[in-house]
DNA sequence: GTGAAAGCGCTAACAT
DNA sequence: ATGTTAGCGCTTTCAC
């Protein structure tokens, strides 16, 4: 299959033992008091013939694959794609490879994935979990596999996680609308009850309550990779039924995109007739006419924090009970045209 | 590390030999004339204790990892992200996992990736290669590893590939503009000379030549994941220097996005003052004001074809010299507002 | 029909 | 200081 040099070949050529070569290659020359001269000779020859140890075998022996599983909701969502891009680069730079899979936020699919990955012997996991995978994640944890959740966490599980402060973000966005004297501000969210969506909803409720205004929340169905129409239609119908609605906060990026489509179909003008704010920014929003105000997530910081936390747990010499890292990153409101009444 | 059942355990429990268990598990019971009763008993017990063979070891023995490498230009580009999404699903459904990496179209990075992947013992590769990786791909081929290129191919290399008919697509787009009586039609492309960009450029040249008009081509620098500004500025300057330009065909998706930004900054009105067409469609273009005409790629068909060709080559019992599959998929022009003079 | 045993290529404890 | 060797967990040939 491969015309590759084996450790045996190089040992024979150098007239030393296999163990010597292995030790030198694994940086344990000093430790085993192998002469510098010999070590150098080994290294030189290995270099010369371009010998590469078989990673599969190495993994079998050491139990480390240097592969990290990245389980996200949907790689075609720019938020996750960008996270993936940053994680990939950082991991790569530190000698780790990434295998990723999209769950489409489907519990069953995520379960399958987690089970499959588990016997792929990945070294660690970065996961944006759907609801209901506590058992599987717990199994990972029990096997002592490092896991970092992000975007949302599982309340019943004491894991590391990194999320953003969605409550504060949406609160600030809603206030920004209320402060302009708008009163009929609606919140359009998904059917998910997970922590990230709950937090965003809380932010909205808090702002409305504070202002003494009745909340108006609508849940919109969201299908992955499939039927955009039903989401657009649902928003369209909401807007028709609530013709007096003055402003909308969308709870995520795809929702905003569908919302813009629905608003365009209705011919409502933004922001004169309807002010709009998106949770989670997007290239599109800078270019849209009008430009769209958004609560921006610190994507790069998030990705970097994720890979750092994970690699730290992977590092040797960790104390047995490392402190749990549960970070909440701040969000920023990027005010553009769509939320500002002239 | 894992409290897992071993094949040995199950053999012992059943009081049969390890080999019997292995044979049954690998569907070679019949072949080795193992009694149906025993086979059933083995299967039942395996099921009962949830035994899962160690994939790492299996790979070591069989040489198959059931992992496919997907090497793309940039996962944060929607075209590649969508391809990745489809490939992932199809591969997953057929028992294969995907590891992906972005090259940022950087030759050195791609070389590293290819070398690294090679000793990860992946079963096959789907690659959108940057220029200059012929050697590394050839090495893969020599090792009898299935490789399918896409989006662009390497002229010196007899590999399978699946690309789109960029020449026809851009020709049609340019004609669409010329047919409306526009004459000063420019083509903005990247600095890449790879096959896909060359084809698009040919399409433009052919249309202009046919019409007896002088071509106007500008190459724009494109930095991945980094400096958008320099691309926007370059387009801005081109538009300033060619104030009489009536229409632009952008050679890819990111270029169009930067172009729209530049046009907005200049305050030029689309399509009245400047008609615009993008090669490669994007959600954004449907929502933009005005909506943007685009040459749409058959993304799903492309992804499906890719995984099919690859898995076919992976299937056992392939003849020694399988015919090369070099497909060119047709493109369609989606006419929207940006390219139509009132 | 079934089982013993030889590896796959490497690591690391143990000998020397 | 360096070499010997026993595995890692499984597949598969070959003898019974």
């Amino acid at each position: 299959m491969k015309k590759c040099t084996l450790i045996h070949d190089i040992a024979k050529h150098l007239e030393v033992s296999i163990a010597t070569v292995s030790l030198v290659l694994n940086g344990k020359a000093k430790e085993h008091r192998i002469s510098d001269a010999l070590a150098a000779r080994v290294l030189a020859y290995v270099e010369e013939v371009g010998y590469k140890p078989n990673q599969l075998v190495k993994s079998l022996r050491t139990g480390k694959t240097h592969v990290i599983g990245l389980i996200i909701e949907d790689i075609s969502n720019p938020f996750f794609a960008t996270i993936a891009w940053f994680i990939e680069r950082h991991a790569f730079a530190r000698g780790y490879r990434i295998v990723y899979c999209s769950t489409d936020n489907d519990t069953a699919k995520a379960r399958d994935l987690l089970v499959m990955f588990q016997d792929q012997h990945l070294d660690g996991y970065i996961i944006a979990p759907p609801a209901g995978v506590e058992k599987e994640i717990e199994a990972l944890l029990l096997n002592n596999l490092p896991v970092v959740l992000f975007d949302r966490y599982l309340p019943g599980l004491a894991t590391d996680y990194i999320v953003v402060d969605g409550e504060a973000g949406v609160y600030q966005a809603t206030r920004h609308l209320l402060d302009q004297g708008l009163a009929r501000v609606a919140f359009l969210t998904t059917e998910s009850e997970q922590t990230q969506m709950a937090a965003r909803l809380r932010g909205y409720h808090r702002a409305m309550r504070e202002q003494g205004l009745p909340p108006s929340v609508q849940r919109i169905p969201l299908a992955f990779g499939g039927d955009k129409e039903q989401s657009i239609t649902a928003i369209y119908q909401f807007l028709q039924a609530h013709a007096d609605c003055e402003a909308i906060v969308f709870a995520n990026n795809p929702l905003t995109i569908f919302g813009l489509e629905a608003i365009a179909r209705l011919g409502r003008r933004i922001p004169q007739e309807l002010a709009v704010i998106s949770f989670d920014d997007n290239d599109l929003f800078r270019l849209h006419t009008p430009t769209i105000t958004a609560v921006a997530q610190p994507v790069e910081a998030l990705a970097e924090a994720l890979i750092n936390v994970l690699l730290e747990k992977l590092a040797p010499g960790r104390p047995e009970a490392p402190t749990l890292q549960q970070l909440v990153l701040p969000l920023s409101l990027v005010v553009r045209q769509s939320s500002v009444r002239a």
Side-chain angles (χ1 to χ4, degrees), chain A residues 146-208:
Chain A
V147 173
V148 186
L149 307 184
F150 77 104
D151 192 52
R152 70 274 329 246
Y153 59 91
L154 300 170
L157 235 46
T159 59
D160 296 62
Y161 61 74
I162 308 183
V163 296
V164 295
D165 191 354
E167 174 170 353
V170 171
Y171 173 80
Q172 193 189 348
T174 311
R175 276 247 55 96
H176 164 69
L177 294 166
L178 298 173
D179 287 348
Q180 294 178 66
L182 299 172
R184 305 205 138 275
V185 177
F187 186 67
L188 264 57
T189 183
T190 68
E191 287 166 328
S192 164
E193 302 280 5
Q194 291 194 268
T195 58
Q196 83 283 21
M197 301 319 280
R200 296 173 202 177
L201 183 57
R202 272 201 311 281
Y204 167 76
H205 275 306
R206 179 152 64 86
M208 294 302 275

Side-chain angles (χ1 to χ4, degrees), chain A residues 123-258:
Chain A
D123 284 0
Y125 295 83
I126 297 177
I127 307 176
V133 296
E134 283 81 356
K135 274 236 163 56
E136 288 73 15
I137 305 237
E138 214 153 21
L140 256 29
L141 261 19
L142 280 176
N143 280 320
N144 253 318
L145 291 166
V147 173
V148 186
L149 307 184
F150 77 104
D151 192 52
R152 70 274 329 246
Y153 59 91
L154 300 170
L157 235 46
T159 59
D160 296 62
Y161 61 74
I162 308 183
V163 296
V164 295
D165 191 354
E167 174 170 353
V170 171
Y171 173 80
Q172 193 189 348
T174 311
R175 276 247 55 96
H176 164 69
L177 294 166
L178 298 173
D179 287 348
Q180 294 178 66
L182 299 172
R184 305 205 138 275
V185 177
F187 186 67
L188 264 57
T189 183
T190 68
E191 287 166 328
S192 164
E193 302 280 5
Q194 291 194 268
T195 58
Q196 83 283 21
M197 301 319 280
R200 296 173 202 177
L201 183 57
R202 272 201 311 281
Y204 167 76
H205 275 306
R206 179 152 64 86
M208 294 302 275
R209 194 182 331 113
E210 220 177 80
Q211 194 78 358
L213 290 170
S216 166
V217 172
Q218 178 72 38
R219 298 198 180 262
I220 303 293
L222 213 51
F224 289 91
D227 191 10
K228 306 172 182 238
E229 267 321 306
Q230 70 161 320
S231 311
I232 298 174
T233 307
I235 299 176
Y236 186 95
Q237 288 168 348
F238 172 84
L239 290 170
Q240 271 192 318
H242 302 257
D244 59 348
C245 175
E246 297 172 301
I248 298 191
V249 178
F250 290 101
N252 73 14
N253 199 319
L255 228 38
T256 308
I257 294 179
F258 296 139

Side-chain angles (χ1 to χ4, degrees), chain A residues 77 79 251-254 256 278-282 285 294-297 299:
Chain A
N77 175 329
F79 168 66
N252 73 14
N253 199 319
T256 308
S278 171
F279 187 94
D280 192 19
D281 204 357
N282 187 322
F285 300 156
V295 178
Q297 305 204 53
V299 183

Side-chain angles (χ1 to χ4, degrees), chain A residues 58-79:
Chain A
K58 201 162 177 166
S59 296
L60 176 57
R61 288 295 318 181
T62 59
K64 308 268 120 230
T65 53
H66 279 233
V67 177
I68 291 169
L70 176 60
I71 300 183
I72 60 188
E73 192 169 294
D74 172 13
I75 192 72
S76 61
N77 175 329
F79 168 66

